[in-house]
Amino acid sequence: GAGVSQSPSNKVTEKGKDVELRCDPISGHTALYWYRQSLGQGLEFLIYFQGNSAPDKSGLPSDRFSAERTGGSVSTLTIQRTQQEDSAVYLCASSGGAGYRYEQYFGPGTRLTVT
Amino acid sequence: DAKTTQPPSMDCAEGRAANLPCNHSTISGNEYVYWYRQIHSQGPQYIIHGLKNNETNEMASLIITEDRKSSTLILPHATLRDTAVYYCIVRVRTGANSKLTFGKGITLSVRP
């Protein structure tokens, strides 16, 4: 079946602009995660959605970052007033669903470059 | 999550088995061992996980020691496409603590 998709695949923006990154999880998956990966670094957790529960926002680095998940499916990560240190690959993963599969399946990522 | 230690790199000849070790001496009873890999410029890919029994799927085998303090991921017939960074993670399976934390992983280079 279809995997996790993310758009855009690449985004170049000027410092100070707002950006929106989109994630389409695997159909039926109840959990959705956002991570980011800076060049040569490991994964940094940002935010976690599980069903209708309040999201775990503990990984968001500043109040410029926010995310929402509409209808328990598609999620949007918004970065306001982007800074150069926001440049990274933003990865979305989903898990859960029929059979209680808890393994996280990742999308290809959005490479964000802030100039 | 329990910390894991992996050697930084290893190489393997194409067609041979690649055995990737991982130490997780502080693993808790409810923590699973997961393996992911990340091929250059792609998102991480789930490989396999286990609790205490050895596991096998179409991609790999996972051997967990009886005391659960270490494990080995085995790629039985490595190909050039298996060149990637492999991450060993121990974590609870569900809930608010289920986010993944990747360390530096082990870089596997498969040579022709």
Side-chain angles (χ1 to χ4, degrees):
Chain A
V4 178
S5 61
Q6 293 186 244
S7 60
S9 56
N10 282 285
K11 177 71 176 179
V12 180
T13 190
E14 293 180 352
K15 178 182 172 182
K17 301 281 189 181
D18 298 352
V19 295
E20 284 189 352
L21 312 179
R22 177 186 168 106
C23 172
D24 284 87
I26 292 172
S27 178
H29 277 191
T30 56
L32 186 148
Y33 303 77
W34 282 98
Y35 299 87
R36 72 177 177 183
Q37 190 171 33
S38 301
L39 187 63
Q41 301 298 311
L43 238 58
E44 177 186 3
F45 166 75
L46 297 177
I47 189 169
Y48 160 61
F49 297 90
Q50 173 61 61
N52 295 321
S53 302
D56 175 359
K57 304 180 181 180
S58 61
L60 295 178
S62 78
D63 59 7
R64 297 185 295 104
F65 287 72
S66 63
E68 62 178 21
R69 189 179 185 194
T70 53
S73 181
V74 172
S75 178
T76 303
L77 177 69
T78 302
I79 308 173
Q80 296 178 310
R81 304 181 302 282
T82 53
Q83 304 294 313
Q84 287 184 332
E85 61 263 28
D86 299 335
S87 295
V89 176
Y90 289 80
L91 292 157
C92 175
S94 69
S95 69
Y100 297 96
R101 291 188 62 86
Y102 298 113
E103 300 78 51
Q104 293 181 30
Y105 294 86
F106 284 80
T110 293
R111 182 175 298 278
L112 175 65
T113 303
V114 181
T115 60
Chain B
D1 290 348
K3 188 174 179 180
T4 63
T5 54
Q6 301 176 254
S9 64
M10 67 177 292
D11 64 10
C12 169
E14 189 176 20
R16 304 298 294 268
N19 297 300
L20 285 67
C22 180
N23 287 323
H24 32 80
S25 58
T26 60
I27 191 170
S28 300
N30 64 343
E31 289 181 315
Y32 288 71
V33 180
Y34 280 77
W35 283 84
Y36 281 76
R37 74 179 181 183
Q38 191 168 22
I39 296 168
H40 183 62
S41 298
Q42 296 184 22
Q45 178 188 22
Y46 164 78
I47 302 173
I48 199 168
H49 75 280
L51 183 61
K52 45 188 173 181
N53 297 324
N54 297 339
E55 301 287 344
T56 295
N57 63 21
E58 65 278 4
M59 290 183 68
S61 294
L62 174 61
I63 308 300
I64 303 173
T65 57
E66 192 169 344
D67 63 7
R68 302 208 323 124
K69 293 185 177 182
S70 65
S71 60
T72 301
L73 179 73
I74 300 172
L75 307 178
H77 307 287
T79 71
L80 298 179
R81 288 175 293 181
D82 292 323
T83 292
V85 180
Y86 287 77
Y87 297 97
C88 168
I89 304 147
V90 292
R91 57 187 279 265
V92 296
R93 205 172 180 204
T94 64
N97 292 324
S98 60
K99 58 183 179 285
L100 292 172
T101 302
F102 283 16
K104 295 189 182 300
I106 177 171
T107 300
L108 174 66
S109 300
V110 181
R111 61 181 188 277

